[in-house]
Amino acid sequence: MSLIINNPVDEPKKHWHRVNDGKLELKHERRPASYEIINTRDQTRRVQEIALVNTIRGRVTEWREAGYPGVTIVTRKLLEHWNDHSAREYPFYFCQIEAIETLIWWVEGAAEYKQGIVLQGDGGPWERLCNKMATGAGKTTVMAMIITWQVLNALTYPKRNKDFSRAIFIVTPGLTVKGRLQVLYPSEGSYYDQFNLCPDQTMRQKLNEAAVLIENWHTLMPAKDQDRSVVKKGPESDEAFTRRVLGNLAGFKDIIVINDEAHHAYRQNPADKVGKKRAEELGLDPDEATRWVEGLDRLHKTRRISRCFDLSATPFSPSGMASSDSALFTWIVSDFGLNDAIEAGLVKTPRIVVRDDGMPAPDLKPKLYHIYKDPSVSEDLNRRAEPHEPLPALVQQAYTLLGADWRVYQQEWQQLGHHSPPVLLTVCNRTETAARIEHYFNSGDAHWPELRAPDRTLRVDSKVLDKAEVGDTATANKPYEERLRSIVNAANLTATKKAGLKELKKEELLREIIDNVGKRNEAGQDLQNVISVAMLSEGWDAKNVTHIMGLRAFTSQLLCEQVIGRGLRRVTYDKETEGERAGLFLPEYVNVFGVPLTIFEDDTGGDGPVPPPPRPNVQVEVVRERAELEIQWPNILRVETVMKGELTVDWSTMPILTLDPTKTIINADLAPAMNGASDMSQIVPINLEMVPEGFRLQRLTFVAARKCYEAMAGSFSGTEGYLLRQLVRLVEDFLRSDRLEVPSLFHQDPLRKRILIGLNMDLIVQFVAQHIKQTNRQASEIIFDDVRPLGRTGDMRTWYTTKPTMVTQKSHISHVVGDSTWEGYAANVFEGSPKVKAYVKNDHLGFEVYYLWNGSRRRYLPDFLVTDHTGKTLVVELKGQRTPQNDAKHAAMAEWIAAVNDDGRFGMWSWAVAYNPVEVHDILARF
């Protein structure tokens, strides 16, 4: 069952209601307009209806059913056109129609339908009307409707200047939103054309006479003393201020103002004493609000603001009272909140943790529900730590669990051919924590190899982003600038695109990357991991955010909703086509750890189907049914022969290390919820036992050995590779010994025990390192890739090609992709040879041999790997001629083969080069 129960183009007819036992009950009526009030003193919550909006809904319905009495001919044409579902491919959502109808009702509707309705404004000299609309509900389209309605009426009825204006001033909270709203200028490609807002071409041509200006609120600051928290008259007169701010729009009077993200613009009440820190926790800035509103006051003095339209998902201001974190705007006329948007399928459904297998928190909530609330996490993250310091164990476990689910999404998206990966978004408490998280992923500490991708990981520097949002320059930060440029260099973009991006300043480059996450052929298209301190700016609407990690305090539902809002944009808008759910959106989900949301959490299972883009001709993939044909190889960085130390442990004196399963979380259950209630009948698990490949003992051993080496760095002599090899042996011995104890028969299961080991790696490393001693001897050593020490054909990611291909029978991979006819010939020989058990073309596998050429380190990718029935492995290279560079490759290959055979852990290996296709037969005969 899905939480999506309403058709997005019809008025809602159902809603989910929380009953006393914490479950959800379906009610067959529209949800009343309401909001939650959280009492921070006693941590209670209650739902408060917005009585005025509920009254207005009834009046607007009566007015609509009566045929919109009181409206102009122009307005009537617009309303009829906007309600005509056949006029555009995708009809407007009901919430968009209701929002614009309500504004028109207030301005033009016959008086009898507004009798007794009193709007309490903000105490200022100009009228404000607010549409409360959830993120993803289409606020930008509503703004385009407002402009169309106002401008066409103003040009047709110039004497009604108190009701209509063609001068529209749109104020935004930053450059991100300002850039997104460029579609509101009446030019080619605008929303007026995309959504066919005008009934005929004559009206569309007339709309071009609109005078539209879109600016940041920062332009409303005085020319001098911009750092003051309150706008004051200075040397700049009100007239000069108006001309500077409005530019060409200064020639008009009776202007219309549209505030986007209007919760940033409110008048401070002297009685509401809210500290700066508390305001930041609520995601609000009283200084910004003052400058914004008082700047508009100055424009009103000189040009008159006839009316202001506010749009916001969270139109609250700080209240200063413990019984209510924030106060709702009193001039709201329509409400379509997050609950409504989820029920209509306009946004992804958030799913949060409702159960895990660790010891619960004192309030019996699972620890992964609000991770930062755990003392071991809040105390550790709320200090000035160095980037290399390990993250708290609970945080690492959370990333391993959430990362396991992220990998499922990533693999499915790859199979569907998506141009961008799913994104894991972290919102944390301070810059030091962000740096530690970045180090955790980029240095290889993260459990999942796919997430150890520095060029796909972006830490958002708050100081740089704040400056970028206002067009200023931050202080010099060369390392951070280099990180941004490395992301661009690694992106799959054209050379021309990259060159243009490299010319940007770091502030511009950060905005270019973060504003374009998941967008094809843009700087952020390949990002998969975004780490942010506090909040990302409004307008950041990466549709491919599928997982959110909250690592900060969440003291208000407003903040929870704002954080979750960063991941609510849908990827697709496909609908059900059959049965009683026909016309409803297919569900999409965002999975959340650490954000204690009390509205909806869904566990209905499955990720909403994502329509694949046009696929290339052939899909190359691992054939899982041919697991016996898998070929493995060691990933070797280099071979060294040096004097090194021999590490030993006296097992007889080592005490026993006990791993307590109750302190290690290996699974979590998520369930849909609303208004603090969860539907426990719809549990969706995230269980590390379902991803056993992530906890192979050999890999865990390599990880433990590397961490042990880092913990002992400088304590013993010898090269890193040689010490690591010995540490691998010692860790293997320890994990098999009776020195490691798990006091639970249930957790003695080999897989559960391996998971416990993997999630307690830091504890094991610290314990083993304390008992290691060293003596010296001479030896040669293989230096492995510590991130991926063992390569396997089974790890190849699905990919697509338009090159010629050959279907295989003896390969773990579905096709041989022919870069030359030689390779097709060789593949046919391997297929037909009785000596060959399995073979694979070395394409997208990652099998590499490093060699030196002209003083630089190069990568050599041999053409084929072949195995026989005795377990021997043959490396085959096809070359048309001998060259000095090829000779260097072959010398490195010979050294590689000798080292692997000397090691003895990977079977017997050999190699050969065919300079003519027919030599492949001779090579197999000698194999």
Side-chain angles (χ1 to χ4, degrees), residues 276-484:
K276 183 176 181 181
K277 182 177 180 181
R278 181 59 182 150
E280 289 178 354
E281 290 176 352
L282 294 171
L284 301 167
D285 183 350
D287 292 345
E288 173 187 338
T290 298
R291 297 186 184 112
W292 189 324
V293 172
E294 294 191 2
L296 292 177
D297 281 345
R298 297 183 72 180
L299 298 181
H300 180 70
K301 289 180 183 179
T302 60
R303 295 298 183 272
R304 290 195 304 271
I305 296 175
S306 63
R307 190 168 284 107
C308 174
F309 299 107
D310 292 333
L311 292 100
S312 173
T314 54
F316 295 85
S317 61
S319 70
M321 296 181 293
S323 61
S324 177
D325 279 335
S326 48
L328 193 72
F329 285 3
T330 56
W331 53 96
I332 296 174
V333 294
S334 71
D335 174 32
F336 199 85
L338 181 54
N339 289 350
D340 303 302
I342 293 172
E343 289 167 340
L346 303 185
V347 296
K348 296 187 185 116
T349 301
R351 296 192 291 200
I352 70 170
V353 180
V354 294
R355 184 169 59 215
D356 61 41
D357 64 343
M359 190 70 69
D363 61 0
L364 299 185
K365 291 281 190 181
K367 289 185 177 181
L368 298 182
Y369 175 72
H370 192 177
I371 298 170
Y372 189 82
K373 193 175 181 180
D374 188 275
S376 68
V377 175
S378 56
E379 293 172 8
D380 188 288
L381 297 187
N382 199 27
R383 64 186 177 90
R384 295 185 180 276
E386 296 298 320
H388 67 270
E389 295 187 45
L391 292 170
L394 180 60
V395 174
Q396 294 193 43
Q397 294 169 18
Y399 272 125
T400 302
L401 273 166
L402 197 60
D405 195 58
W406 176 88
R407 289 173 74 239
V408 174
Y409 276 64
Q410 184 212 33
Q411 292 163 7
E412 291 179 355
W413 285 30
Q414 283 181 343
Q415 291 172 2
L416 291 170
H418 278 274
H419 60 81
S420 294
V423 167
L424 166 60
L425 169 65
T426 298
V427 178
C428 60
N429 63 327
R430 56 192 297 160
T431 55
E432 292 88 351
T433 302
R436 292 169 70 186
I437 295 169
E438 181 184 37
H439 183 272
Y440 170 78
F441 285 110
N442 291 353
S443 68
D445 287 339
H447 182 82
W448 302 110
E450 296 90 341
L451 284 170
R452 302 183 207 134
D455 293 332
R456 289 172 172 253
T457 300
L458 173 66
R459 175 177 58 83
V460 181
D461 188 309
S462 299
K463 294 180 180 178
V464 177
L465 185 61
D466 289 343
K467 293 294 184 181
E469 279 297 306
V470 298
D472 287 347
T473 301
T475 55
N477 188 340
K478 286 294 183 183
Y480 188 70
E481 187 170 350
E482 290 173 1
R483 284 289 307 118
L484 296 179

Side-chain angles (χ1 to χ4, degrees), residues 872-888:
K872 293 188 297 183
T873 305
L874 171 68
V875 181
V876 177
E877 174 73 5
L878 306 178
K879 288 294 178 186
Q881 58 183 345
R882 291 180 172 87
T883 66
Q885 186 172 0
N886 286 339
D887 290 342

Side-chain angles (χ1 to χ4, degrees), residues 502-633:
K502 291 176 183 178
E503 293 178 359
L504 300 177
K505 296 187 299 183
K506 66 178 181 299
E507 297 81 12
E508 297 170 330
L509 185 56
L510 175 58
R511 279 197 62 245
E512 191 66 27
I513 294 174
I514 196 65
D515 288 354
N516 292 289
V517 172
K519 296 180 181 178
R520 187 189 294 269
N521 299 324
E522 297 292 345
Q525 75 167 8
D526 296 330
L527 283 184
Q528 63 185 30
N529 200 343
V530 176
I531 305 161
S532 169
V533 178
M535 284 292 298
L536 288 170
S537 60
E538 286 93 351
W540 191 74
D541 58 352
K543 296 180 179 180
N544 55 330
V545 173
T546 56
H547 296 78
I548 296 177
M549 177 71 76
L551 295 176
R552 58 159 296 167
F554 289 94
T555 56
S556 74
Q557 280 305 113
L558 172 63
L559 181 57
C560 291
E561 187 170 330
Q562 288 176 334
V563 171
I564 295 291
R566 304 282 78 81
L568 291 181
R569 300 281 180 178
R570 291 183 62 102
V571 178
T572 67
Y573 290 86
D574 290 345
K575 294 183 179 180
E576 305 272 6
T577 57
E578 298 179 353
E580 62 180 13
R581 296 184 57 82
L584 303 187
F585 279 128
L586 293 167
E588 293 184 9
Y589 302 97
V590 55
N591 289 344
V592 184
F593 278 19
V595 182
L597 192 68
T598 63
I599 47 169
F600 282 143
E601 302 102 25
D602 192 288
D603 74 326
T604 50
D607 305 307
V610 182
R615 290 183 177 178
N617 292 346
V618 178
Q619 177 175 303
V620 184
E621 60 187 347
V622 176
V623 182
R624 302 297 175 188
E625 295 78 11
R626 303 180 194 167
E628 73 280 2
L629 302 182
E630 180 178 74
I631 298 178
Q632 301 182 358
W633 61 90

Side-chain angles (χ1 to χ4, degrees), residues 54-99:
N54 289 322
T55 300
I56 289 175
R57 282 180 179 175
R59 298 291 184 88
V60 172
T61 298
E62 294 173 4
W63 173 72
R64 181 192 306 119
E65 292 174 349
Y68 305 116
V71 302
T72 67
I73 295 175
V74 170
T75 300
R76 187 176 301 281
K77 287 184 178 179
L78 291 175
L79 288 171
E80 290 174 353
H81 180 63
W82 293 341
N83 279 287
D84 182 0
H85 290 186
S86 66
R88 55 197 56 81
E89 183 178 1
Y90 300 105
F92 293 122
Y93 301 145
F94 170 80
C95 62
Q96 295 170 322
I97 294 294
E98 181 182 54

Side-chain angles (χ1 to χ4, degrees), residues 567-723:
L568 291 181
R569 300 281 180 178
R570 291 183 62 102
V571 178
T572 67
Y573 290 86
D574 290 345
K575 294 183 179 180
E576 305 272 6
T577 57
E578 298 179 353
E580 62 180 13
R581 296 184 57 82
L584 303 187
F585 279 128
L586 293 167
E588 293 184 9
Y589 302 97
V590 55
N591 289 344
V592 184
F593 278 19
V595 182
L597 192 68
T598 63
I599 47 169
F600 282 143
E601 302 102 25
D602 192 288
D603 74 326
T604 50
D607 305 307
V610 182
R615 290 183 177 178
N617 292 346
V618 178
Q619 177 175 303
V620 184
E621 60 187 347
V622 176
V623 182
R624 302 297 175 188
E625 295 78 11
R626 303 180 194 167
E628 73 280 2
L629 302 182
E630 180 178 74
I631 298 178
Q632 301 182 358
W633 61 90
N635 281 323
I636 298 174
L637 299 181
R638 61 186 182 278
V639 179
E640 295 181 351
T641 303
V642 294
M643 177 68 76
K644 301 181 180 180
E646 182 174 5
L647 305 180
T648 61
V649 170
D650 186 351
W651 302 106
S652 64
T653 62
M654 176 184 280
I656 293 175
L657 174 64
T658 301
L659 300 182
D660 186 350
T662 66
K663 296 181 179 179
T664 305
I665 298 174
I666 66 174
N667 67 66
D669 292 340
L670 293 82
M674 172 190 288
N675 297 330
S678 300
D679 188 348
M680 303 301 290
S681 67
Q682 300 186 45
I683 294 294
V684 169
I686 299 179
N687 193 337
L688 294 181
E689 293 184 51
M690 304 305 294
V691 284
E693 72 278 4
F695 295 91
R696 294 188 178 90
L697 188 59
Q698 184 179 38
R699 180 171 175 271
L700 294 176
T701 302
F702 272 103
V703 172
R706 179 180 60 80
K707 284 179 169 282
C708 197
Y709 173 81
E710 293 173 351
M712 303 185 312
S715 301
F716 299 124
S717 61
T719 64
E720 177 181 348
Y722 184 63
L723 292 176

